[in-house]
Amino acid sequence: MLKNPTKCMFLILLGFVVGKCVKLPKIDAFADGNTTKKVEPFLEVTYPEVIMHINLERKNNNVLPLDTDTRLICASQTHVSDMAAKAICDHAIAGGPNLFTRVRKCGYANTTVVEIIACNTNLANEAVGGWINNPLIKEKMIDPSYIKIGCDSNKNYWACVLAKD
C-alpha cells in the first residue's frame, strides 16, 4: 500500500486488476449506498472532457473515436460515487458490485468491457495523461475493437468503462 499517493491508476481486464490499490484519506462526500443509480445530469467539464482527450489520443493513433453510451456512464457514475463515498481508489470496493455487475445493472449486456480509474486529480487532462503514460492502459484506450465508452468523475475520482460490441 502506498502512502500519500499523488495518482492512482488501474486497469481491469478479464477479471484481473493491474495497478496499485490504495486507500486515500477520508473526504466529505454524499453517499446514499445505492449501486443501481439512474444516470443523472453531469457537469459539462467532467466526462465529455475526458472522452474528448481519449478520442484525441485514438485519433493520434489512427483509431476511430469511441461513441458515448449512457449505460456505461451509469456504470462509471456508480463506481466513482462509491469510491468517493468510501475514500477508496480501487476497482473492487467491499460491499459494492464488481465491474461486470455494475455494467449489467445499468442495462448493458455486453461483458467485454474494461475499466480504467484515476484518483487524486481534479483535472480530466491529468487523469487521461496518466492513462496514456501507462502502456497497459493506453493499449486498451487505443484498441480499435473497443467502440463505446462511458466516463464520470466525483471529486477527485475518475472512471471510464470501454466496451466492445
Side-chain angles (χ1 to χ4, degrees):
M1 189 168 294
L2 298 176
K3 294 186 182 213
N4 300 324
T6 57
K7 289 193 173 93
C8 183
M9 285 160 256
F10 301 90
L11 170 70
I12 187 168
L13 177 62
L14 302 175
F16 295 97
V17 176
V18 178
K20 303 273 185 204
C21 301
V22 298
K23 184 170 182 177
L24 300 172
K26 184 158 178 49
I27 58 173
D28 293 325
F30 174 77
D32 62 5
N34 185 353
T35 57
T36 58
K37 290 183 182 177
K38 294 180 181 176
V39 177
E40 298 172 2
F42 302 94
L43 296 174
E44 289 296 318
V45 294
T46 58
Y47 78 86
E49 188 178 353
V50 142
I51 294 171
M52 179 194 69
H53 287 297
I54 290 171
N55 279 335
L56 180 60
E57 185 64 20
R58 287 172 67 92
K59 180 181 176 183
N60 292 340
N61 286 275
N62 298 313
V63 179
L64 292 174
L66 296 159
D67 290 325
T68 303
D69 188 290
T70 57
R71 297 164 298 176
L72 299 177
I73 294 168
C74 171
S76 296
Q77 181 185 52
T78 298
H79 194 54
V80 294
S81 294
D82 205 17
M83 286 193 297
K86 295 177 179 159
I88 296 173
C89 185
D90 200 346
H91 290 283
I93 297 176
N98 66 30
L99 169 63
F100 304 106
T101 301
R102 289 191 303 271
V103 168
R104 280 193 307 274
K105 282 185 176 185
C106 287
Y108 200 84
N110 187 332
T111 57
T112 309
V113 294
V114 63
E115 177 180 73
I116 52 179
I117 63 174
C119 304
N120 267 4
T121 181
N122 292 317
L123 303 174
N125 63 332
E126 285 184 5
V128 177
W131 296 332
I132 290 169
N133 289 325
N134 181 313
L136 292 173
I137 295 174
K138 180 178 178 178
E139 178 183 338
K140 296 303 167 200
M141 284 176 43
I142 64 171
D143 181 338
S145 64
Y146 288 100
I147 60 170
K148 295 189 178 185
I149 190 169
C151 300
D152 195 28
S153 67
N154 186 326
K155 302 218 178 244
N156 61 347
Y157 297 88
W158 299 82
C160 291
V161 177
L162 288 75
K164 298 179 180 184
D165 246 3

